[in-house]
């Protein structure tokens, strides 16, 4: 073995001493040329960096490739194993390469330090590449050329093909890490929880290149010298197997050790049928999506990683989500079958997706036949395949105001442009596209259209001057209600909430007959099941907030048939009404006022849809998410130690925690 070591040192020493002398000479010139001169310094360190990369490349290529078949046969005849021969040759080359790098950098840095320069600072400016990337590149060049040097008999061929092979492996790693695996199994794997940073990718790459050394050793040791093609097959086969095992172990580590924890709640979406809700949560970047039933009996983690854009199909049997690719701006859409949890991809990755499947703000048709999938696009499921339905040019998904009960017709409203906030004074020279709500006469019109599905032509059914809000269609498609704010200034200490007077219009779409109501504004969730009544807020302009009422309006007679005000609510101010999807009960939100006229405590009342059997249920501190399938409420409640999703029983007033953050 000593003879083999001496042989390796003797053959590598000329190149070793030549490179070292060149570095020393350049270091001396670098310091001498800049002595007492304010010139650019550090060229010697840049030379060291370039030479170190070339030395690593050529060292790996020369380990075995410089030996001819006759020399390899002679070495194999020695009374030692081929594994020891291979190990000695690699070890001697690694030691001499490391010694060369230490001496080369040491001499140049020492010369610069003698002159008073900060060598490390100069090096970081000369080579603006992170140190972990430099190390990974150095190791990669050596290991890949070493692997090919066991297969080829030409050092230059091993060096050239080693660079090509290493580049191909790096591209494949990037493709698997950032594209294929996230694109195919991202939400299932939770690949994003790895937070694939530069350092993590570098460590992974170093592992892959070190596997090349193991594969090279396996191919050389286990194959006779003369059977070159068998050695090639075994070497690359071992490399592929080892890299595959490494990826499998990484995936298993993510699945079992990287389970997301729910310490910070993100968003909560209740399904339209009231059986399930989906909640996103995370803990220091480890995010996930949980599916929970409203009874609190079942809770399941269905997606991992950076999940967003969660929305339900109207039938509540599918859950849509957008999954964000780690380290990129790409998004892909997925659908989860409920309650089975089966997941499949709906769209490939696209950058900066602005419209996602099943956005909760733009629900599909009542029975779930049509799902929103773009600004003017619905999709339907037919024969197990998705089919796209393009809507007319006038249509936008955020303008939908209602559907026919049988999903045969969709209605939408187009309004003039307007300012988002009317609390600020208008600019002196507003853009021509703005409509200032403070003006008595508003330019532009609000137009309501309908289209017969799928994708029929737009038909205008109503038009009125100005900006009309709260536009809604009755469940039977006969009535249209809309609200308009008029000019005015608030009066009295308790009237700041009434910035303007309100006017509501009731339109009979069958006859075109219209009724106007001053100081009314409709509740979109206030339709009774028969479609002939709707609950509306009422308060005269400039009046005390305590005079606000909820009125049940008979659409056939245009008369109020029931009123709920402060007197019926024990002095509390009614806020809004919501009738359950089953149509058998409703809840009324109310609030107390403090001495300054500001909202204080909030309460939930329950009654029948016609206002009968009105009674208080409980005080709430949170956001009501919606109705359960059995007629109770799901609330995002805030309490002393954090937040929780709770179920409020409207019969007993009791609450039950369905989902709470894990303790820190």
């Amino acid at each position: 073995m000593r003879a083999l070591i001496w042989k390796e040192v003797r053959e590598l020493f000329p190149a070793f001493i030549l490179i070292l002398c060149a570095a020393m000479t350049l270091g001396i010139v670098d310091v001498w040329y800049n002595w007492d001169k304010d010139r650019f310094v550090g060229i010697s360190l840049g030379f060291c960096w370039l030479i170190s990369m070339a030395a690593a490349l050529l060292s790996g290529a020369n380990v075995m490739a410089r030996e001819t078949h006759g020399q390899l046969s002679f070495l194999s005849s020695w009374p030692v194993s081929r594994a020891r021969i291979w190990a000695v040759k690699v070890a001697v080359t690694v030691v001499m390469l490391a010694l060369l790098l230490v001496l080369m950098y040491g001499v140049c840095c020492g010369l610069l330090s003698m002159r008073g320069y900060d060598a490390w600072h100069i090096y970081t400016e000369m080579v603006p590449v992170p140190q972990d990337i430099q190390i990974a590149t150095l190791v990669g060049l050596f290991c890949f050329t070493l692997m090919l040097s066991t297969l080829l008999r030409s050092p230059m061929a091993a060096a050239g093909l080693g660079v090509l092979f290493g580049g191909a492996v790096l591209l494949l790693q990037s493709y698997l890490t950032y594209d294929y695996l996230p694109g195919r199994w991202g939400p299932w794997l939770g690949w994003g929880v790895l937070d694939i940073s530069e350092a993590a990718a570098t460590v992974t790459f170093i592992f892959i290149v070190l596997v090349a050394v193991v594969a090279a050793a396996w191919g050389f040791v286990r194959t006779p010298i003369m059977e070159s093609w068998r050695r090639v097959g075994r070497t690359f086969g071992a490399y592929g197997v080892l890299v595959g095992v490494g990826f499998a172990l990484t995936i298993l580590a993510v699945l079992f050790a990287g389970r997301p924890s729910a310490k910070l709640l993100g968003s909560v979406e209740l399904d339209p049928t009231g059986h399930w809700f989906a909640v996103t949560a995370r803990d220091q970047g480890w995010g996930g999506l949980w599916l929970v039933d409203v009874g609190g009996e079942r809770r399941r983690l269905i997606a991992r990683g950076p999940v967003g854009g969660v929305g339900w199909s109207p039938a509540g049997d599918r859950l849509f989500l957008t999954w964000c690719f780690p380290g990129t701006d790409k998004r892909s859409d997925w659908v989860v079958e409920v309650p089975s949890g089966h997941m499949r991809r709906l769209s490939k990755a696209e950058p900066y997706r602005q419209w996602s499947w099943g956005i909760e703000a733009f629900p599909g048709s009542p029975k779930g036949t049509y799902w929103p999938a773009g600004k003017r696009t619905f999709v339907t499921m037919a024969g197990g395949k998705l089919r796209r339905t393009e809507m007319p040019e006038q249509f936008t998904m955020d303008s939908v105001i209602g559907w026919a009960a049988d999903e045969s017709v969709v209605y939408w409203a187009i309004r003039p442009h307007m300012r988002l906030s009317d609390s600020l004074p208008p600019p002196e020279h507003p853009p021509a596209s703005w409509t200032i709500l403070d003006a008595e006469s508003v330019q532009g019109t609000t137009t309501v259209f309908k289209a017969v599905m799928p994708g029929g032509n737009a038909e205008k059914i109503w038009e009125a001057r100005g900006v009309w809000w709260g536009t809604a269609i009755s469940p039977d498609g006969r009535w249209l209600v809309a609200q308009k704010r008029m000019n005015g200034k608030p009066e009295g200490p308790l009237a700041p909430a009434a910035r303007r007077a309100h006017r509501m219009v009731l339109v009979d779409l069958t006859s075109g007959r219209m009724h106007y109501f001053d100081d009314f504004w409709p509740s979109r969730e206030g339709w009774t099941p028969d479609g002939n009544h709707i609950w509306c807020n009422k308060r005269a302009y400039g009046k005390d907030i305590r005079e606000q009422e909820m009125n049940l309006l008979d659409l056939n007679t245009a008369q109020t048939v029931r009123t709920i005000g402060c007197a019926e609510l024990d002095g509390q101010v009614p806020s809004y009404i919501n009738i359950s999807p089953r149509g058998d009960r409703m809840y009324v939100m109310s609030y107390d006022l403090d001495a300054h006229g500001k909202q204080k405590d909030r309460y939930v009342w329950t009654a029948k849809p016609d206002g009968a059997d009105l009674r208080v249920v409980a005080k709430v501190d949170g956001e009501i998410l919606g109705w359960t399938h059995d007629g109770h409420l799901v609330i995002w409640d805030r309490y002393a130690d954090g937040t929780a999703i709770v179920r409020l029983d409207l019969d007993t007033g009791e609450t039950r925690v369905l989902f709470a953050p894990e303790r820190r």
Side-chain angles (χ1 to χ4, degrees):
M1 298 306 294
R2 291 181 181 178
L4 181 59
I5 295 175
W6 174 244
K7 169 186 174 298
E8 293 297 309
V9 172
R10 186 178 66 251
E11 293 178 354
L12 295 175
F13 186 76
F16 174 90
I17 197 65
L18 178 63
I19 295 175
L20 182 60
C21 290
M24 292 176 61
T25 303
L26 191 58
I28 294 172
V29 172
D30 193 10
V31 174
W32 174 79
Y33 180 71
N34 294 285
W35 198 275
D36 295 331
K37 300 290 192 304
D38 186 15
R39 292 173 174 157
F40 177 75
V41 296
I43 189 67
S44 59
L45 294 180
F47 172 80
C48 290
W49 179 73
L50 292 175
I51 292 301
S52 64
M53 296 296 121
L57 176 70
L58 296 176
S59 297
N62 275 276
V63 171
M64 303 298 296
R66 71 174 186 272
E67 309 286 355
T68 64
H69 284 292
Q71 290 173 320
L72 289 176
S73 300
F74 175 70
L75 290 175
S76 299
S77 66
W78 289 15
V80 292
S81 65
R82 281 188 294 178
R84 294 181 63 184
I85 293 175
W86 188 89
V88 168
K89 290 177 68 65
V90 172
V92 171
T93 305
V94 169
V95 170
M96 293 195 67
L97 176 61
L99 185 60
L100 173 64
L101 297 181
V102 170
L103 293 177
M104 185 171 58
Y105 279 105
V107 168
C108 293
C109 290
L111 291 173
L112 290 173
S113 298
M114 290 174 57
R115 180 62 183 87
Y117 292 110
D118 185 349
W120 177 252
H121 178 70
I122 294 175
Y123 179 76
T124 54
E125 289 187 346
M126 177 65 63
V127 187
V129 180
Q131 282 67 50
D132 53 352
I133 300 296
Q134 295 183 44
I135 295 173
T137 305
L138 190 74
V139 175
L141 290 173
F142 179 83
C143 292
F144 284 130
T145 53
L146 169 63
M147 177 178 172
L148 292 177
S149 74
T150 62
L151 307 176
L152 304 172
R153 301 279 61 83
S154 170
M156 297 309 297
L161 293 178
V163 173
L164 296 178
F165 180 70
V169 170
L170 181 59
L171 291 176
L172 179 61
Q173 179 207 358
S174 301
Y175 172 71
L176 291 176
T177 304
Y178 292 101
D179 194 296
Y180 184 79
L181 288 176
R184 289 292 180 181
W185 299 292
W188 179 72
L189 285 176
W191 202 254
V193 304
L194 289 176
D195 189 17
I196 305 177
S197 61
E198 186 178 273
T202 302
V203 171
T204 306
F205 180 71
I206 291 178
F207 163 76
I208 293 175
V209 299
L210 290 179
V211 168
V213 178
V214 179
W218 173 266
F220 177 78
V221 172
R222 303 297 298 178
T223 309
I225 297 299
M226 302 306 296
E227 297 181 4
S228 57
W229 285 110
R230 179 178 295 183
R231 186 165 63 253
V232 170
R234 289 186 175 182
T235 300
F236 281 98
Y239 183 75
V241 170
L242 292 174
V243 171
V245 170
F247 266 104
L249 293 176
T250 303
I251 292 173
L252 290 176
V254 171
L255 290 177
F256 293 101
R259 183 178 180 84
S261 59
K263 293 187 177 181
L264 295 173
L265 299 188
S267 63
V268 183
E269 302 297 336
L270 183 67
D271 92 86
T273 65
H275 287 83
W276 304 87
F277 66 87
V279 55
T280 59
R282 62 181 178 85
D283 176 28
Q284 299 178 353
W286 292 69
L289 176 67
W290 281 262
L291 183 66
V292 186
D293 76 299
V294 296
E297 302 295 335
R298 289 177 286 178
R299 167 176 167 175
R300 179 179 180 183
L301 177 66
I302 59 173
R304 305 162 182 255
V307 177
V310 179
W312 288 90
S313 66
D317 57 345
R318 295 178 178 90
L319 180 64
F320 300 88
L321 60 93
T322 298
W323 197 83
C324 308
F325 279 55
T328 70
D329 56 10
K330 293 182 178 180
R331 309 287 188 270
S332 62
D333 296 323
W334 298 71
V335 61
V336 183
E337 302 291 336
V338 177
S340 67
H342 175 69
M343 183 182 302
R344 59 190 176 91
R345 187 177 63 176
L346 295 175
S347 67
K348 295 183 178 180
E350 297 181 14
Y352 297 113
R353 293 184 61 82
Q354 298 180 356
W355 294 86
S356 297
W357 302 69
I359 298 178
E360 63 276 6
F362 316 130
S365 58
K367 299 178 181 179
T369 302
Y370 299 96
W371 312 331
K375 192 173 183 179
R376 293 187 177 90
T377 305
F378 287 101
V379 294
T380 58
M381 180 70 74
K385 296 182 179 180
L386 291 174
R387 296 184 179 179
R388 303 176 71 88
T389 299
E390 299 295 335
M391 299 300 294
E393 182 180 356
Q394 302 92 331
F395 180 87
T396 57
M397 198 65 68
D398 56 353
S399 63
V400 174
I401 61 174
W403 290 78
D406 60 357
E407 302 179 323
S408 61
V409 179
V410 61
Y411 301 87
W412 70 94
I414 303 299
R415 304 177 182 87
H417 294 287
M418 63 209 71
R419 291 189 293 122
L420 293 178
S421 173
D422 57 7
S423 62
L424 300 175
E428 294 183 2
H429 304 286
S433 61
W434 278 18
T435 297
I436 307 302
L437 297 183
D438 292 326
E440 182 64 36
S441 178
V442 179
Q443 300 296 322
T445 59
T446 297
T447 307
V448 177
F449 296 90
K450 76 173 183 179
V452 177
M453 299 299 288
N457 295 327
E459 177 186 349
K460 182 169 63 176
I461 61 174
W462 180 75
E463 185 178 51
R465 184 181 180 85
V467 182
W468 291 83
W469 296 91
T471 313
I473 300 291
S474 63
D476 59 1
R478 177 186 173 187
W479 302 97
L480 178 145
V481 294
Q483 160 210 346
K484 181 180 180 181
R485 292 182 177 181
M486 311 299 290
N487 277 343
K489 297 181 180 180
E491 299 176 0
L494 297 178
R499 297 292 181 185
R500 287 169 184 80
H502 293 264
R503 172 170 292 177
M504 185 181 78
V505 64
L506 170 65
V507 184
D508 187 339
L509 296 178
T510 58
S511 64
R513 181 169 51 95
M514 292 186 290
H515 293 279
Y516 289 92
F517 303 85
D518 287 335
D519 307 321
F520 276 74
W521 61 97
S523 173
R524 293 181 62 90
E525 294 79 19
W527 293 98
T528 57
D530 58 8
N532 292 321
H533 298 78
I534 186 173
W535 284 94
C536 305
N537 289 57
K538 179 184 179 182
R539 177 158 61 94
Y541 162 69
K543 297 297 183 179
D544 192 318
I545 189 67
R546 297 182 188 276
E547 296 186 17
Q548 182 166 297
E549 299 174 344
M550 305 298 299
N551 286 262
L552 181 61
L553 189 64
D554 188 323
L555 304 182
N556 293 298
T557 63
Q559 300 294 322
T560 297
V561 296
R562 178 75 165 92
T563 299
I564 298 177
C566 289
E568 290 79 9
L569 301 178
D570 298 336
Q572 300 168 19
V573 179
S575 178
Y576 62 89
I577 282 177
N578 189 307
I579 297 179
S580 70
R582 300 193 306 176
D584 59 343
R585 71 195 315 174
M586 70 179 186
Y587 73 82
V588 183
M589 287 299 302
S590 66
Y591 56 87
D592 278 336
L593 296 175
D594 60 17
H596 302 286
K598 296 182 179 180
Q599 294 187 16
K600 193 172 57 174
D601 297 326
R602 302 170 66 240
Y603 294 86
V604 171
W605 297 66
T606 185
K608 294 181 178 179
D610 60 359
D613 300 333
L614 181 66
R615 60 182 178 83
V616 67
V617 177
K619 173 184 173 182
V620 297
D621 183 17
E623 173 189 357
I624 296 180
L625 300 175
W627 293 90
T628 65
H629 63 94
D630 52 357
H632 301 286
L633 297 180
V634 177
I635 301 175
W636 192 342
D637 197 10
R638 278 79 172 174
Y639 57 92
D641 296 332
T643 65
I645 311 303
V646 301
R647 171 191 172 106
L648 174 62
D649 191 311
L650 293 182
D651 296 326
T652 64
E654 297 179 352
T655 59
R656 178 181 180 182
V657 176
L658 302 178
F659 190 94
E662 300 175 6
R663 297 295 180 181
R664 295 181 181 276

